[in-house]
Amino acid sequence: YEQLFEGSGGAPTLLLPATAALLPLISEEAAGGTLLVHLFGRCLTAIILEGSRVRSWRSVELNSLAAEEMAREASLEAARVALSARDHLHIEVTRVLVSERPLGTATLAAELSFTLSCEAIRLEAPAGVARSLSQAEQSSFESFGSPFAGLVSN
């Protein structure tokens, strides 16, 4: 992250993680806790939400390169976060949401569902968000999906 601050001349700077852009897309209706799993490249961020409140945020770099191995490693890390939330925060995860960049296959969602014994649902952009975008912005929207939609809808 230090490279991002070079050239700022010491001026106050805010660095917003891409996962934060997903938060406006999550409804607060779920009873219990929500686990958001965001996989981007080899980086994984897992967030525990209770309603609209972020209760836990963990980001790690995964070691695996193959998609299947990465999905397995990501699901094990997500399980650690869910168990920690249950044991330390007394929050039982009742909903699992998944976002991948670039858009992946169903492998991660299936692996999370199996590991956590809870259906993992792909976090989708609200219908119609892309309609208000220019052609160039729509291309970015299709490439980056939900994080871009969260920024647009916020």
Side-chain angles (χ1 to χ4, degrees), residues 73-130:
E73 188 178 349
S75 69
L76 292 174
E77 185 61 37
R80 282 185 205 97
V81 171
L83 290 172
S84 178
R86 187 191 68 201
D87 293 346
H88 299 287
L89 302 173
H90 308 291
I91 298 172
E92 192 69 38
V93 171
T94 58
R95 179 172 67 160
V96 179
L97 301 174
V98 183
S99 178
E100 293 179 79
R101 285 187 307 138
L103 297 177
T105 64
T107 306
L108 178 58
E111 193 67 43
L112 285 166
S113 295
F114 176 78
T115 302
L116 298 169
S117 300
C118 178
E119 182 184 11
I121 302 166
R122 187 177 301 276
L123 184 61
E124 300 286 346
V129 171

Side-chain angles (χ1 to χ4, degrees), residues 61-80:
E61 185 174 1
L62 303 177
N63 296 316
S64 302
L65 294 176
E68 293 79 21
E69 292 173 13
M70 191 176 300
R72 182 71 183 142
E73 188 178 349
S75 69
L76 292 174
E77 185 61 37
R80 282 185 205 97

Side-chain angles (χ1 to χ4, degrees), residues 2-3 7 40 46 54 59 64 66-67 70 86 91 109 123 127-128 130 154:
E2 292 176 2
Q3 291 177 341
F40 44 104
V54 174
S59 296
S64 302
M70 191 176 300
R86 187 191 68 201
I91 298 172
L123 184 61
N154 197 8

Side-chain angles (χ1 to χ4, degrees), residues 5 10 13 15 22 33 35 37 41 44 53-54 70 82 84 128-129 135 140 142 151:
F5 294 109
T13 306
L15 178 64
L22 298 172
L35 171 61
V37 178
L44 174 85
R53 186 174 174 203
V54 174
M70 191 176 300
S84 178
V129 171
Q135 190 65 27
S140 294
E142 290 170 9
L151 290 172

